[in-house]
């Protein structure tokens, strides 16, 4: 009897996951199959622990998938992805079942190391998402893990720009000015300030940095994308200003709030956080400034579904 374990919020979802992955021509189950499905049960305390772990894994999967989307490594080596998937599945999805005090269910006990072929590898959706996330992250910094895996050497920079850097060159002046104008209009509406109160040079600089993280194929449409985003998030922008503006409870703690371009940074924080952080540091900006804006924007605006995020 061949047994496959699948994570799902219901038996139906778990079966659908197995079918999608394995019921196909050349797959384990072929084109059509019959299943005997068993739902494992355990006592209340263990069930609560497992539900918390599953929510955590769901968060990992969703965030890794969203962050990598649009920046997936090109034609990644299948064997390398499989090994990384196996690693993350063992280390994160199903941690070592032999740790003292842990009482694994039967399928978890299989996740042990073996020196005998075929070295049983394990896979999971979160494990694969994290594998691709790692490859995209290393590519962002110009490191080629695939080459290192083939040669057995340490991952080193190939002396080439990463995929993000190759795309994220300096934006045309016209585009910078259009984005500055959009940010300025919304900033005035939110804050009641005018352009003679802004540091124009610094504002232009941070908008230029934000635009470096917009893929070339999306730059022509970006002004409209930003316009729509700022309309949808007006309530959050107002809360940000109320809390961190000159009359707010935390006045003076968020330096970037004084520049309209921070609105473009907010959009980039939601859309491309890792790329933005990398460009920000490489451009010689103070890392803490962006970190404070990120934390305030994501966690201190009382965001809810009604606000459009």
């Amino acid at each position: 009897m061949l047994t496959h374990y699948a994570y799902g919020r219901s038996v139906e979802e778990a079966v659908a996951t197995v079918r999608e992955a394995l019921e196909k021509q050349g797959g384990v189950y072929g084109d059509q199959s019959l299943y005997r499905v068993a739902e494992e049960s355990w006592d209340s305390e263990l069930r609560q622990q497992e539900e918390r772990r599953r929510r955590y894994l769901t968060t990992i999967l969703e965030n890794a998938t969203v962050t990598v989307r649009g920046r997936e490594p090109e034609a990644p080596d299948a064997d390398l992805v499989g090994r990384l998937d196996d690693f993350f599945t063992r280390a994160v999805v199903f941690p070592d079942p032999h740790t003292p005090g842990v009482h694994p269910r039967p399928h978890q006990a299989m996740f042990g190391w073996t020196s005998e072929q075929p070295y049983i590898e394990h896979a999971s959706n979160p494990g694969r998402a994290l594998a691709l996330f790692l490859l995209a992250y290393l590519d962002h910094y110009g490191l080629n893990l695939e080459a290192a895996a083939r040669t057995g050497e340490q991952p080193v920079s190939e002396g080439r720009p990463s995929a993000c850097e190759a795309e994220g060159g300096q934006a045309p002046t016209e585009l910078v000015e259009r984005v500055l104008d959009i940010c300025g209009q919304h900033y005035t509406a939110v804050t009641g300030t005018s352009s003679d109160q802004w540091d124009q040079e610094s504002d232009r600089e941070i908008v230029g940095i934000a635009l470096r993280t917009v893929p070339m194929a999306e730059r022509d449409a970006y002004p409209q994308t930003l316009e729509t985003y700022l309309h949808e998030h007006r309530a959050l922008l107002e809360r940000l200003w109320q809390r961190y503006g000159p009359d707010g409870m935390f006045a003076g703690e968020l330096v970037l709030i004084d520049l309209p371009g921070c609105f473009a940074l907010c959009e980039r924080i939601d859309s491309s956080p890792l790329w933005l952080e990398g460009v920000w540091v490489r451009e010689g900006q103070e890392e803490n400034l962006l970190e404070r804006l990120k934390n305030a924007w994501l966690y201190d605006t009382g965001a809810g579904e009604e606000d459009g995020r």
Side-chain angles (χ1 to χ4, degrees), residues 172-191:
T173 301
E174 180 184 358
L175 179 58
V176 173
E177 294 302 323
R178 289 176 63 194
V179 171
L180 278 170
D181 184 57
I182 291 170
C183 288
Q185 292 178 32
H186 285 267
Y187 191 78
T188 295
V190 168
T191 68

Side-chain angles (χ1 to χ4, degrees), residues 275-307:
W275 195 358
L276 178 61
E277 290 171 13
V279 173
W280 185 265
V281 172
R282 285 198 298 275
E283 290 296 312
Q285 300 294 323
E286 186 178 341
E287 190 171 355
N288 285 340
L289 297 183
L290 182 63
E291 186 67 21
R292 288 170 186 162
L293 176 63
K294 175 183 175 181
N295 289 336
W297 179 239
L298 294 179
Y299 311 119
D300 199 26
T301 52
E305 294 181 359
E306 72 276 5
D307 299 307

Side-chain angles (χ1 to χ4, degrees), residues 180 198-209 256 259-261 280 285:
L180 278 170
W198 311 332
D199 183 340
Q200 303 279 351
E201 184 177 347
S202 296
D203 200 33
R204 185 169 284 101
E205 184 177 11
I206 67 169
V207 166
I209 291 174
L256 292 173
L259 299 171
W280 185 265
Q285 300 294 323

Side-chain angles (χ1 to χ4, degrees), residues 4 10 29 31 62 69 128 131 162 173 182 184 190-191 243 251-252 271 283 305:
H4 286 278
S10 65
Y29 293 126
D31 295 326
E62 291 176 348
R69 185 176 297 131
R128 179 175 175 80
S162 69
T173 301
I182 291 170
V190 168
T191 68
R243 295 178 70 81
S271 300
E283 290 296 312
E305 294 181 359

